[in-house]
Amino acid sequence: MIEMNESDILKDELYTLVRSLKNQIELAWELRHPLSWTTAEGDQKSPFLGMKLASGVHEQDVKESLISSDITGPADNPLETLDDIRRDMEACHRCPLEKTRKNLVFGEGNPHSELVFVGEAPGADEDLQGRPFVGRAGHLLTRIIDAMGLKREDVYICNILKCRPPGNRNPLPEEIEVCEPWLIRQLEAIRPRIICALGTFAAQTLLKKKGIPITVLRGQFHDYHGIKLMPTYHPAYLLRNPGAKRQVWEDVQKIMKVLEAGQ
Ligand code: URA
């Protein structure tokens, strides 16, 4: 076993702290919920000053939009489209999954949908087709959407990870960490009213509730930066546990009520 002395432990803690702070700043920036000290009086520098954020989108554009918009605000001045984000994502080298995947699974559906479903990661079928939720779990999700009185094309469907983890293993924390900013940009571009998080990984990642089981999180709306977020069981779980379909139906009925009320 490698012995760590006090200074190594301190260095390790400091490194973890800096990494986590850097991540928080990046996420806050991408969510357009900047930490107050990064925007106060407009005289402070963003951590990405001068950096090109996306095709044709520069830090100054982002800063201007920060002043007037919020993730839930009207999409009257969208910074970037899903096509812009996809173009950037095609060139992503943030993790090794790009080497083992066949296709990027960006997401699909109505780019202005009020409802976005977020799953975990592409499986084998999705990897082959480059489309989310097209395997067995996907067919069940399509049936759930139909039962809600909607069509797949009405909603938007994507995942936390955009590339398939080999052998369908669970996403690693470091893969989630580097891939989540893509999802945040997608959500910013779509600006849905409701997010339905499918399964443990999606719910825990979006809500930052690592360790809280889906059984506890599901069934009630949570706040995700002003957007209503409903966690529910993943369709793959339903394939193994059909008895849980009743609870998913209850959860999606709550979503339908909000959609119908237009609130
Ligand atoms: N499971 C997921 O979480 N996402 C998919 O796209 C397919 C299966």
Side-chain angles (χ1 to χ4, degrees), residues 11 26 28 39 86 94 124 126 159 184 214:
K11 258 194 233 161
E26 284 180 0
T39 54
R86 181 195 285 268
R94 291 180 187 177
E126 291 76 20
N159 285 300
I184 292 171
I214 187 72

Side-chain angles (χ1 to χ4, degrees), residues 119-123 126 132-133 137 159 234:
E120 178 180 313
E126 291 76 20
F133 282 98
N159 285 300
H234 193 286

Side-chain angles (χ1 to χ4, degrees), residues 29 45-54 57-63:
W29 187 251
K45 304 269 186 282
S46 102
F48 308 114
L49 190 69
M51 182 176 162
K52 195 165 181 291
L53 293 179
V57 179
H58 292 269
E59 192 266 353
Q60 188 55 33
D61 302 330
V62 176
K63 200 154 199 169

Side-chain angles (χ1 to χ4, degrees), residues 80-135:
E80 55 182 357
T81 65
L82 289 173
D83 285 342
D84 294 330
I85 301 165
R86 181 195 285 268
R87 216 172 300 124
D88 283 358
M89 208 188 284
E90 303 270 357
C92 177
H93 304 293
R94 291 180 187 177
C95 82
L97 292 182
E98 57 153 335
K99 297 198 179 80
T100 49
R101 67 141 203 246
K102 289 194 170 61
N103 285 295
L104 174 77
V105 181
F106 178 78
E108 67 180 23
N110 177 354
H112 309 294
S113 178
E114 297 198 311
L115 174 59
V116 172
F117 288 91
V118 179
E120 178 180 313
D125 296 303
E126 291 76 20
D127 187 42
L128 270 179
Q129 295 188 41
R131 296 178 55 212
F133 282 98
V134 289

Side-chain angles (χ1 to χ4, degrees), residues 55-73:
S55 327
V57 179
H58 292 269
E59 192 266 353
Q60 188 55 33
D61 302 330
V62 176
K63 200 154 199 169
E64 275 161 19
S65 118
L66 284 173
I67 296 159
S68 60
S69 70
D70 187 84
I71 193 165
T72 56

